Amino acid sequence: WVDSANEPGCDFPIQNLPYGVFHHEDEDEDDARVGVAIGDMILDLSVIADAGLLEDVDADDEEDIEEDVSAPMLNLLMCSEPARWSALRRRISELLSDGNDELCGDASLMEDALIPMSEAVMVMPAEVGDYTDFYASIHHATNVGSMFRPDNPLLPNYKWIPIGYHGRSSTLAVSGTPVRRPLGQTKADDADPVYGPCKLLDYEMEVGAFVGRGNERGEIIPIDEAEDHLFGLCLVNDWSARDMQKWEYQPLGPFLAKSFLTTLSPWVVTMEALAPFRVASLPRESGDPAPLEYLSSKEDREFGGVDLTVEVYLSSERMRAEGMEPVRLSSGNFRHMYWTVAQMLTHHASNGCSMDPGDLFASGTVSGPEKGNRGCLLELTWRGSEPIELPTGETRKFLADGDEITMKGFCERDGYRRIGFGFCSGVVLPSVMATV
Amino acid sequence: WVDSANEPGCDFPIQNLPYGVFHHEDEDEDDARVGVAIGDMILDLSVIADAGLLEDVDADDEEDIEEDVSAPMLNLLMCSEPARWSALRRRISELLSDGNDELCGDASLMEDALIPMSEAVMVMPAEVGDYTDFYASIHHATNVGSMFRPDNPLLPNYKWIPIGYHGRSSTLAVSGTPVRRPLGQTKADDADPVYGPCKLLDYEMEVGAFVGRGNERGEIIPIDEAEDHLFGLCLVNDWSARDMQKWEYQPLGPFLAKSFLTTLSPWVVTMEALAPFRVASLPRESGDPAPLEYLSSKEDREFGGVDLTVEVYLSSERMRAEGMEPVRLSSGNFRHMYWTVAQMLTHHASNGCSMDPGDLFASGTVSGPEKGNRGCLLELTWRGSEPIELPTGETRKFLADGDEITMKGFCERDGYRRIGFGFCSGVVLPSVMATV
Ligand SMILES: [Ca+2]
Ligand SMILES: [Ca+2]
Ligand SMILES: [Mg+2]
Ligand SMILES: [Mg+2]
Ligand code: NI
């Protein structure tokens, strides 16, 4: 019965019901609690739990849904079993359905429980203990590899291991956080390195997966159980300083080139909402090795992929001043990844590494086989050699101060309502050196 | 007046006063609080704070030392200014000094406030939000580089950048935690990779630094202020699966080869206690570049080093069964590092990366110029080509199940009391695959 949820292009129909953490613009961050996106509104779960409308979600008294949804993070909810996630989802769906008036029949409750998105401030959906970034697009790995290591683009381990590295959880932030152009060491080919503002600032369009229940240290997560440990997906912008990355990354991997900011979309779309859009994992080309047994299951081969379209838009400061719409830089699909989310999670825990509720892993840049699928400027402009022209006549090899990057994601399939991810955006601010 | 603190070889004289988090063996982890090591006893700071003996540490009512020391982690104390750390340290020293009977004159308080170490369980000293591992020994980097990349041992960035990578905070644990031999992908030169128990398990002798006050995202930590942001040092064993590392580490760095367990010594030795042992940073050899300006200060050049001896001992299961003492594998010194702790911290924040109280960074393997200084088996046995003989006649290229590694650290200087770090130890357990 939320009308805006029924409009065709809406990201948040009743079939979606993604979770986020928000507070009203008049409140402060201490008041943040769990909400569900429905149309252009947010259903405040703490209010409906207080009103007793979620009482039947927990079969017994041992779990307390009210406490879980009143927390300023999704971590408590993430600890649950998938069955409890389903029960909560069913109940929310019921309350929002035509014909049910438990909520919409109570005007004063409605006033408290439904907040217009335009009046809400979204905060980080979870407290992320550890953040990992994978590298699961073979198209991205091959493109980048051929620039950084022309003689050796795709390393021999790529088709055997979901390659990843540990990231910096303290620099995760929610969509809307501006990105300050970082300072760092860079080196021109013919000169000594210097410390100064990054000149080759880039974004990376990635998909993030939140861990639900974790595993104990020393235990593994079998591939067949991996998805039971996943709470849901979001969009991730892994801002990257390419000139810093090139100079620092050997031999221990990217470090400061990535740890100045990583932005997340605020809504976490559950695995259950994505079920109609699951597709086969990327077929291995002939000659490619089969995944090792611990990374292999029939279920994952047949349904491990997600048919999720991801788009990147740019608007320069001048475009916004002149009232122009953002331009779309790329459109890719998450089904083109060489490794599935289940394979990434199982691999991550395959050495006994403990995963905790709220831990996040990102997929790596989502790039596909076509040029228009490339998920970062490094690839799109082929390291700056093919600049992009903007409608103002401006050109971009990498990001300029004032540029705003917006990422969108959505699943579409005939006969099903569109499931959207909302967006993940951020504006580039000048470096602190430029402002003093 | 704690007699054991006055014995010559004691790690914890009144000049040390390191902080840790503990509970009595009869209590559980919820009861953990802050203690200070003195001789073979632990001074329970929560008890003496409760008794009002720390009232003068905080000048006004805004800070609450009682709350800070009753927490099950050092993070609250770490948030303070160095001046408050000094005030607390001075007061504790006063209470433990001959001639002061505020504490030792009260028999019932004494009973509560001093717990024998033998009856205490040490837990993680801090909640570590993010963990970073550096690579600051040029001897280690050169040795390892020459094994992994014989044509190119020391990469061109090494003398410009304190190289580091993000680690996994969920797998940090306190001394005494056994290390389960991890499972992972390894690849022999002439075969496809396999998933199974690590065959080349190693330790790495490192020194860890805890961040005190942090910096805001987007801000930097100038080199001259870096040490004000450091709370103290501990010992770190960065357990490493060399065969997994070799196969997985390119191009994004070590991942699962390091994230199964990293062990910390429980006592954090403050920067103030280490003051008498500060030495010049490692002189740059002629031809080496000077550190860039942001990594350079007179103070850091003259006093950036720490004259800290670190030792590694091994005892095999058979050695312990036969009542033999552990054998010392190596003895190195932290003053041999190419980069100082201040340089590591300043570099880490130089891109605006936010550091939080309780964040930990480790130095990387502490290896020195001599063979006896090498801080891991990879170097000591030169990748297994020069096995070590144990007193039982057993030999070791890498670690065997049942081996116990113990790391020790101490500072000694004529005219000063020895400042010890206690120890960091762990026993190797068989992989889960071996036990099923
Ligand atoms: Ca990436
Ligand atoms: Ca190391
Ligand atoms: Mg990334
Ligand atoms: Mg390490
Ligand atoms: Ni972390």
Side-chain angles (χ1 to χ4, degrees), chain B residues 173-404:
Chain B
V174 76
S175 174
T177 308
V179 58
R180 177 71 65 186
R181 181 180 295 275
L183 303 175
Q185 276 196 38
T186 59
K187 184 183 179 305
D189 286 342
D190 52 356
D192 280 346
V194 294
Y195 176 69
C198 158
K199 292 198 181 79
L200 309 183
L201 184 63
D202 201 355
Y203 62 83
E204 290 190 325
M205 168 77 242
E206 308 197 14
V207 172
F210 277 104
V211 175
R213 274 179 314 138
N215 61 308
E216 294 294 315
R217 191 189 299 143
E219 288 180 3
I220 63 165
I221 299 179
I223 183 83
D224 273 325
E225 296 170 22
E227 294 224 3
D228 291 344
H229 291 264
L230 288 177
F231 183 77
L233 306 185
C234 68
L235 307 175
V236 175
N237 183 348
D238 179 27
W239 302 97
S240 298
R242 299 301 182 192
D243 40 359
M244 290 161 57
Q245 185 177 356
K246 185 188 172 196
W247 174 231
E248 78 170 0
Y249 93 105
Q250 284 191 315
L252 302 185
F255 182 46
L256 303 190
K258 302 283 191 169
S259 64
F260 51 97
L261 190 73
T262 303
T263 314
L264 313 185
S265 61
W267 294 107
V268 183
V269 176
T270 63
M271 300 314 286
E272 211 171 352
L274 294 168
F277 309 95
R278 301 307 298 267
V279 294
S281 62
L282 193 75
R284 294 291 184 261
E285 287 186 25
S286 85
D288 277 9
L292 291 182
E293 197 182 331
Y294 78 105
L295 294 176
S296 185
S297 83
K298 182 165 179 292
E299 176 85 8
D300 190 57
R301 264 191 307 280
E302 291 179 3
F303 302 105
V306 186
D307 181 7
L308 162 61
T309 300
V310 290
E311 298 179 332
V312 181
Y313 293 81
L314 182 149
S315 78
S316 69
E317 199 162 10
R318 199 165 127 204
M319 286 170 65
R320 295 196 300 283
E322 297 183 9
M324 292 175 178
E325 291 292 302
V327 287
R328 194 174 79 181
L329 297 181
S330 67
S331 173
N333 195 300
F334 193 48
R335 64 190 296 172
H336 289 136
M337 305 306 273
Y338 198 81
W339 300 103
T340 66
V341 285
Q343 287 172 321
M344 290 184 239
L345 180 60
T346 291
H347 181 66
H348 204 325
S350 68
N351 66 341
C353 176
S354 50
M355 311 297 296
D356 293 315
D359 283 351
L360 179 73
F361 61 92
S363 62
T365 308
V366 181
S367 290
E370 309 294 327
K371 191 169 172 184
N373 307 144
R374 295 175 184 169
C376 62
L377 285 174
L378 180 68
E379 291 172 84
L380 276 174
T381 71
W382 208 256
R383 209 176 188 167
S385 65
E386 303 170 24
I388 287 167
E389 189 157 345
L390 303 180
T392 48
E394 298 170 287
T395 59
R396 287 293 180 271
K397 296 175 176 178
F398 289 93
L399 295 171
D401 293 345
D403 285 353
E404 178 169 37

Side-chain angles (χ1 to χ4, degrees), chain A residues 130 157 160-161 166 168-170 172 183 185 193 195 217 247 250 252-253 256 259 294 347 350-351 354 359, chain B residues 130 157 160-161 166 168-170 172 183 185 193 195 217 247 250 253 256 259 294 347 350-351 354 359:
Chain A
D130 278 297
N157 56 14
W160 296 92
I161 295 181
H166 304 297
R168 177 91 192 167
S169 58
S170 76
L172 296 171
L183 303 174
Q185 276 195 38
Y195 176 68
R217 192 190 297 143
W247 174 229
Q250 285 191 310
L252 302 185
L256 302 190
S259 63
Y294 79 104
H347 181 65
S350 68
N351 66 341
S354 49
D359 283 350
Chain B
D130 278 299
N157 56 14
W160 296 93
I161 295 182
H166 303 297
R168 177 91 192 168
S169 58
S170 78
L172 295 170
L183 303 175
Q185 276 196 38
Y195 176 69
R217 191 189 299 143
W247 174 231
Q250 284 191 315
L256 303 190
S259 64
Y294 78 105
H347 181 66
S350 68
N351 66 341
S354 50
D359 283 351

Side-chain angles (χ1 to χ4, degrees), chain A residues 18-48:
Chain A
Y19 295 100
V21 179
F22 77 101
H23 60 81
H24 194 273
E25 58 189 358
D26 298 334
E27 300 167 331
D28 56 37
E29 201 154 335
D30 293 343
D31 299 309
R33 64 263 183 197
V34 175
V36 166
I38 179 75
D40 56 8
M41 306 292 277
I42 298 174
L43 178 66
D44 184 336
L45 291 193
S46 73
V47 170
I48 66 162

